[in-house]
C-alpha cells in the first residue's frame, strides 16, 4: 500500500506563494514511475476538486482550468516526491490540499486522473489559508 505524506501548507497573504510537497513510500508491486500522482483540494463545505496531475514516467503535467498558470507540479522520482509550487495565491485557493496516487502514469490524460474515484491512495492533507 502506497503511503503519501503532504507538507508545506501555511497561511499566506493574497498574492503570496507556497510550495507543497508530497512524499511517497510503500511501493511494492509497481515502482513510482508507473504511477500518476494528482493534487486535489477541498474547501470547507465544498467537494474535493482536482488541481493537477503528473505522469511519473515522463513528467507530463496537467492542470485544472482555474490554475491559469499560477501553479506548477513537478516530480523527483529518485526521492519519490511530487511538489506543487503555487504563486499569486487568492483567497479562493484556501483549502486542504491532498495528493493521491494510482498506478497507470497515463491516467492523467483521461477523466480517471481528475476524479476522486480514480485514485486509491491518499495522503492526510495539508492546510493552505490565503488571507490578509
Amino acid at each position: 500500500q502506497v503511503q503519501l505524506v503532504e507538507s508545506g501548507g501555511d497561511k499566506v497573504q493574497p498574492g503570496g506563494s507556497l510550495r507543497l510537497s508530497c512524499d511517497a513510500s510503500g511501493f511494492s508491486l509497481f515502482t513510482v514511475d508507473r504511477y500518476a500522482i494528482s493534487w486535489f483540494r477541498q474547501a470547507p463545505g465544498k467537494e474535493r476538486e482536482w488541481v493537477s496531475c503528473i505522469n511519473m514516467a515522463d513528467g507530463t503535467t496537467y492542470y485544472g482550468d482555474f490554475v491559469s498558470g499560477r501553479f506548477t507540479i513537478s516530480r523527483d522520482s529518485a526521492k519519490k516526491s511530487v511538489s506543487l509550487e503555487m504563486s499569486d495565491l487568492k483567497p479562493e485557493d484556501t483549502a486542504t490540499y491532498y495528493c493521491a496516487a494510482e498506478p497507470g502514469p497515463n491516467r492523467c490524460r483521461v477523466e480517471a486522473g481528475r476524479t476522486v474515484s480514480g485514485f486509491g491512495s491518499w495522503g492526510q492533507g495539508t492546510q493552505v489559508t490565503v488571507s490578509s
Side-chain angles (χ1 to χ4, degrees):
Q1 181 70 20
V2 174
Q3 291 88 44
L4 303 170
V5 178
E6 303 94 337
S7 61
D10 205 345
K11 181 178 177 180
V12 297
Q13 293 187 346
S17 300
L18 277 177
R19 181 176 185 270
L20 306 183
S21 294
C22 172
D23 294 322
S25 61
F27 296 97
S28 56
L29 187 60
F30 302 107
T31 55
V32 65
D33 62 347
R34 301 310 302 162
Y35 278 76
I37 294 182
S38 271
W39 284 95
F40 290 79
R41 70 184 187 181
Q42 188 167 19
K46 294 188 176 181
E47 293 188 352
R48 197 164 293 190
E49 175 184 38
W50 175 70
V51 177
S52 181
C53 187
I54 188 165
N55 177 325
M56 294 297 286
D58 64 12
T60 306
T61 59
Y62 304 80
Y63 298 94
D65 291 340
F66 68 88
V67 170
S68 300
R70 300 182 297 126
F71 299 176
T72 302
I73 190 172
S74 61
R75 81 195 197 286
D76 185 332
S77 295
K79 295 183 179 179
K80 300 177 184 177
S81 178
V82 170
S83 296
L84 185 69
E85 297 270 3
M86 304 187 295
S87 62
D88 191 22
L89 284 163
K90 307 175 187 298
E92 52 264 41
D93 293 317
T94 295
T96 301
Y97 284 70
Y98 301 88
C99 63
E102 187 69 18
N106 291 321
R107 174 175 296 266
C108 294
R109 299 192 303 177
V110 299
E111 188 64 22
R114 307 171 188 206
T115 58
V116 172
S117 61
F119 289 84
S121 298
W122 290 83
Q124 293 301 306
T126 186
Q127 178 67 37
V128 172
T129 301
V130 185
S131 174
S132 55

